[in-house]
Amino acid sequence: MSPVPVVTIDGPSGSGKGTVSRLVARHAGWHLLDSGALYRLVALAGARAGLGFGDRDAHAALARSMDVTFGTDSGGGERVLLDGRDATDAIRSEDCSRGASRVAAWPGVREALFARQRAFARPPGLVADGRDMGTVVFPEAELKIFLTASAAERALRRHKQLKDKGVSANLATLSREIAERDERDSTRPIAPLEPASDAHIVDSTGSSIDQVVGRVLMLGRERRLWR
Ligand code: DC
């Protein structure tokens, strides 16, 4: 086992990996890496700096230099700061989702984020959530999960999430955007969304979060990663 145990949870948007990863990390008392947030922050940093959308080198430079803090507010809610300014809600906008998926296809940006992501592996352990955690960033991970769900169910979950936040959204548009993002994330030449050869594929269609978390916790228990 490597000095710091790592569990990777990869999968497409809306598969539930963010929630599952958070709950697994909480159960284990481990650190959490939301790698998608880093790609979203690069897109946001680019927009805040007024960069043109095709400017790959400048985005890669921002990926290296941006100052990112993941923390909690006084109510225990998660907050993300970008260069000292709150970015928690801004990175979840549909604009940022689209921007993140685009900048994530650029090798310079991925390279710049590689070391940042590896640095999250600190004792007692790390749960890493993303697209290429098990294939590229933590190939040595003790346990790799690839979480899927049907495209229709993922669009419905996203729709509900936005509605709960008071954001109106059109289900057909969301479905189309999710399909476009899936296509771009899965077909890009570098670090495409695909399961590692040693990943456990977990399909969450029709399952509750608790059921999925239970399955992941059981797999971790079998490997003596936690109780
Ligand atoms: O998980 P998310 O929706 O927050 O991710 C935002 C975008 O970042 C998504 O379109 C794919 C990209 N991404 C990536 O390419 N590699 C990762 N490890 C995580 C996210």
Side-chain angles (χ1 to χ4, degrees), residues 16-29:
K17 67 195 157 49
T19 310
V20 171
S21 300
R22 193 175 319 112
L23 292 173
V24 171
R26 197 175 295 162
H27 174 92

Side-chain angles (χ1 to χ4, degrees), residues 10 13 17 34-37 39-40 92 97 100-101 104 110 117 129-133 181 185 188 191:
D10 288 304
S13 340
K17 67 195 157 49
D34 172 1
S35 61
Y39 288 93
R40 290 169 180 271
R92 300 294 156 199
S97 301
S101 168
R110 301 202 75 85
Q117 296 174 90
D129 148 12
R131 303 290 191 290
D132 63 340
M133 297 295 98
R181 232 178 300 148
D185 294 342
R188 65 179 178 223

Side-chain angles (χ1 to χ4, degrees), residues 99-142:
S101 168
R102 294 201 183 124
V103 301
W106 299 342
V109 168
R110 301 202 75 85
E111 239 169 73
L113 292 184
F114 181 83
R116 250 182 214 270
Q117 296 174 90
R118 294 278 310 174
F120 276 79
R122 293 189 311 272
L126 175 69
V127 177
D129 148 12
R131 303 290 191 290
D132 63 340
M133 297 295 98
T135 48
V136 176
V137 183
F138 299 105
E140 76 286 13
E142 268 70 28

